[in-house]
Amino acid sequence: MESHNASELREGVPLYLQVRDVIASELAHGAWKPGEQLPTEPELSARFKVSEGTVRQALLALVKDGRLTRRSGKGTFVTKPRFDRSFARFFRFRGDTGQVDPDFRLAVIDIKVLTSADPAVTATLGLRRGARVLAIHRTIMQDDVVVCHYVSHLSHAEFGTLTMEDMEDSVLYDLLESKFHIHIVRATETLQARAAGAEDARILHIGEGEPVIAVGRVAYTYQERPVEYRTTIGRSDKFRYEIQLS
């Protein structure tokens, strides 16, 4: 990747904003991976030929945007997505003690290649209509009760070599990193209540038409490129939303 330097800074625009924009562009192009440390402020100051105070302002602006994280005494790091904040975590129901039960298991139902995927899926993934889509269908269980099931849709052309064996007890995003060098840097989620369809009822062992919670997710890699379109369907009686507003 071509490096940006002081010669690319523009007159008439505050220096810290220009440095911020250059670093943001490099983040978008994958110059540093999620969790990696950026160069120190003195190193960036020397590179851009600006003061360390200007660099600090630029970094703080990116921290405010959620792109970077500062750790006292350690430096500045690329923010890693916090999937522990996902709506799906609220399917992890609690026992009488109020503690989250750790006994959760993943199981793969199947992996299919869709030749006629929902147009909304292909459009969201940036694929042409009719492109083949890899659909990975899994369940999450607690104490042998299926709490929810979900389908991850991916481009078959890019990820078609994933197998059932790959997915057993594996975190999808870890696999994308190790096998394809794809890093998920952010995701958006939506939540809605709806009625269970026939497949939902069969998998979740509930009645068709009973209320379920649907969580939709689109996960992105660098340059805002969508990688995964996921739909999670869970039992409403196993969903508990709790948030502290203080």
Side-chain angles (χ1 to χ4, degrees):
M1 182 188 68
E2 184 179 352
S3 176
H4 297 79
N5 53 48
S7 65
E8 297 179 66
L9 300 183
R10 309 178 303 278
E11 292 185 5
V13 179
L15 286 175
Y16 87 93
L17 291 178
Q18 297 186 60
V19 173
R20 178 204 64 184
D21 290 346
V22 171
I23 295 175
S25 175
E26 295 186 349
L27 288 169
H29 286 82
W32 301 282
K33 299 180 179 62
E36 284 190 345
Q37 185 174 9
L38 266 68
T40 65
E41 290 179 6
E43 288 171 335
L44 291 172
S45 173
R47 171 187 165 187
F48 289 108
K49 295 182 172 58
V50 298
S51 71
E52 290 184 28
T54 295
V55 168
R56 189 172 302 114
Q57 279 186 287
L59 295 179
L60 288 174
L62 290 167
V63 169
K64 185 176 180 180
D65 290 342
R67 304 295 304 276
L68 299 176
T69 301
R70 290 174 73 86
R71 300 178 190 169
S72 180
K74 293 185 178 180
T76 305
F77 297 79
V78 182
T79 302
K80 297 185 72 171
R82 290 288 306 275
F83 292 107
D84 60 331
R85 297 176 180 173
S86 165
F87 282 130
R89 76 189 188 277
F90 295 112
F91 288 121
R92 300 185 175 186
F93 53 99
R94 302 168 186 266
D96 294 336
T97 63
Q99 297 299 311
V100 176
D101 193 317
D103 182 25
F104 279 82
R105 292 185 294 111
L106 286 171
V108 181
I109 296 178
D110 60 35
I111 297 181
K112 294 180 179 178
V113 179
L114 307 180
T115 56
S116 56
D118 186 327
V121 172
T122 53
T124 300
L125 291 176
L127 305 175
R128 61 174 176 78
R129 189 164 183 164
R132 293 198 295 174
V133 172
L134 186 69
I136 302 170
H137 195 176
R138 301 208 282 184
T139 61
I140 298 178
M141 304 176 67
Q142 182 196 39
D143 299 329
D144 296 322
V145 174
V146 178
V147 178
C148 59
H149 71 106
Y150 65 93
V151 180
S152 294
H153 297 90
L154 308 165
S155 165
H156 179 268
E158 191 169 3
F159 305 108
T161 57
L162 284 172
T163 66
M164 292 278 284
E165 291 72 22
D166 289 329
M167 298 308 305
E168 289 292 346
D169 295 318
S170 297
V171 177
L172 176 61
Y173 299 161
D174 290 346
L175 275 176
L176 297 185
E177 287 189 20
S178 63
K179 195 166 184 175
F180 303 97
H181 308 293
I182 296 293
H183 297 267
I184 299 301
V185 297
R186 77 174 189 92
T188 60
E189 287 191 337
T190 57
L191 179 148
Q192 68 179 53
R194 66 169 177 79
E199 183 180 50
D200 301 324
R202 176 178 57 81
I203 294 172
L204 298 174
H205 303 291
I206 59 176
E208 187 172 352
E210 287 190 25
V212 292
I213 303 296
V215 179
R217 175 190 292 181
V218 181
Y220 299 83
T221 187
Y222 298 113
Q223 298 176 281
E224 294 295 289
R225 183 168 72 87
V227 172
E228 178 203 26
Y229 181 106
R230 178 186 300 192
T231 302
T232 301
I233 307 297
R235 294 173 54 140
S236 61
D237 62 332
K238 304 302 183 185
F239 184 88
R240 176 182 174 181
Y241 180 73
E242 181 178 318
I243 187 169
Q244 185 170 334
L245 299 177
S246 60

